[in-house]
Amino acid sequence: KMRAFLNALPPNDPKRAARALTERLVALNRAELPGRLRLRLLDMVRDHVDWLLPQLEVRVAKVTPPLSAALREAAYCIEKVLKELAAGYTSVVVAAPRAWLSIGFKSQLHAPLTRAMDFHARRLALSQRLYARSPGAVWAELHQLFRIARDWSIVEREADSPRTSPLRVYRETLLLAFAQPTKLMHGDFSRVQAYLAAHGDLAEVTAGAKFEDPACVFAIDPRRDKPGVA
């Protein structure tokens, strides 16, 4: 049924397809399903979204707010698809039975965890690019997922798709927030993103510690729905 639904989505109307995908993802996230089946369905949707979302994202990537009604609708569609995919993958990771947490199953949950973090990071980047308020609970879930990745010792392991690791997603998302993107000129946003992608690994994410020179230190409280403070 999911495969037939995805094949029937209108290829030339990405906003309509995104709205239909969001409705299906909401239903999927609310359904009582075994974890493996939920993950399989999410991956099918994600494969389709990888083709669909760029058609919408290119429309809002270089525009300067305030957005027209059509562009606001496109941004809304992007946000809702990212939100439901992030929620679905997060639920798979958080609800994983203890039996799954053997060495073999942890590796299978590595990709869903990385994808959940990546979708959350893309939601934040969208709101920052458009000078909008950050979605609620995103930072709290990012902190939680990073803690899980650290506890499972997979924080630096790179996933195949997207080609990144939980640590890299977390670190670059934090650094972008610390750059105060809502105060950047619109054309500077992509430049800062590219800079962080090239040099973000120079930053370290460590547990609470004392530093001789606190000039370049940010404190992160994972209990709060905030990135952190200088």
Side-chain angles (χ1 to χ4, degrees):
K1 286 182 179 180
M2 181 64 81
R3 189 173 292 109
F5 164 78
L6 293 173
N7 290 337
L9 288 173
N12 299 320
D13 191 346
K15 285 193 285 190
R16 181 180 163 200
R19 289 193 294 269
L21 269 174
T22 299
E23 291 179 7
R24 186 56 59 98
L25 283 167
V26 168
L28 173 60
N29 288 339
R30 292 176 178 174
E32 294 290 337
L33 294 172
R36 293 174 187 272
L37 176 57
R38 183 183 304 281
L39 186 56
R40 173 62 181 147
L41 293 171
L42 285 168
D43 285 345
M44 290 173 65
V45 174
R46 176 185 167 275
D47 289 342
H48 197 88
V49 164
D50 280 348
W51 163 82
L52 171 69
L53 280 191
Q55 298 182 59
L56 293 172
E57 289 171 332
V58 71
R59 301 184 185 185
V60 301
K62 296 182 180 180
V63 297
T64 302
L67 274 63
S68 66
L71 289 175
R72 285 199 304 272
E73 184 183 5
Y76 178 84
C77 290
I78 297 169
E79 154 64 16
K80 291 304 177 184
V81 171
L82 293 175
K83 175 184 177 181
E84 294 303 325
L85 278 170
Y89 279 115
T90 298
S91 69
V92 170
V93 173
V94 172
R98 287 186 175 274
W100 283 30
L101 302 185
S102 64
I103 294 176
F105 285 120
K106 281 183 186 177
S107 63
Q108 292 182 31
L109 288 168
H110 168 239
L113 187 150
T114 307
R115 288 168 185 169
M117 295 184 71
D118 181 62
F119 284 126
H120 277 316
R122 289 167 66 179
R123 292 180 68 199
L124 285 168
L126 176 66
S127 65
Q128 291 162 342
R129 182 184 292 277
L130 300 179
Y131 301 95
R133 182 179 299 178
S134 295
V138 173
W139 282 109
E141 290 202 0
L142 274 173
H143 295 323
Q144 179 188 28
L145 290 166
F146 181 75
R147 184 177 65 248
I148 291 172
R150 188 176 54 196
D151 291 345
W152 292 356
S153 300
I154 58 173
V155 72
E156 296 187 50
R157 185 181 301 174
E158 192 172 83
D160 291 330
S161 180
R163 197 76 181 176
T164 189
S165 67
L167 173 60
R168 191 178 306 151
V169 174
Y170 189 63
R171 183 173 53 203
E172 291 182 12
T173 307
L174 286 168
L175 290 171
L176 184 58
F178 296 154
Q180 298 181 300
T182 56
K183 295 185 179 181
L184 295 173
M185 296 296 290
H186 191 69
D188 290 335
F189 188 86
S190 296
R191 188 177 300 112
V192 172
Q193 276 190 313
Y195 184 86
L196 295 178
H199 305 291
D201 59 351
L202 295 175
E204 296 181 38
V205 181
T206 65
K210 294 181 179 180
F211 298 91
E212 293 182 2
D213 181 8
C216 297
V217 173
F218 290 82
I220 303 162
D221 185 348
R223 299 167 298 182
R224 301 187 63 195
D225 188 29
K226 302 285 185 182
V229 295

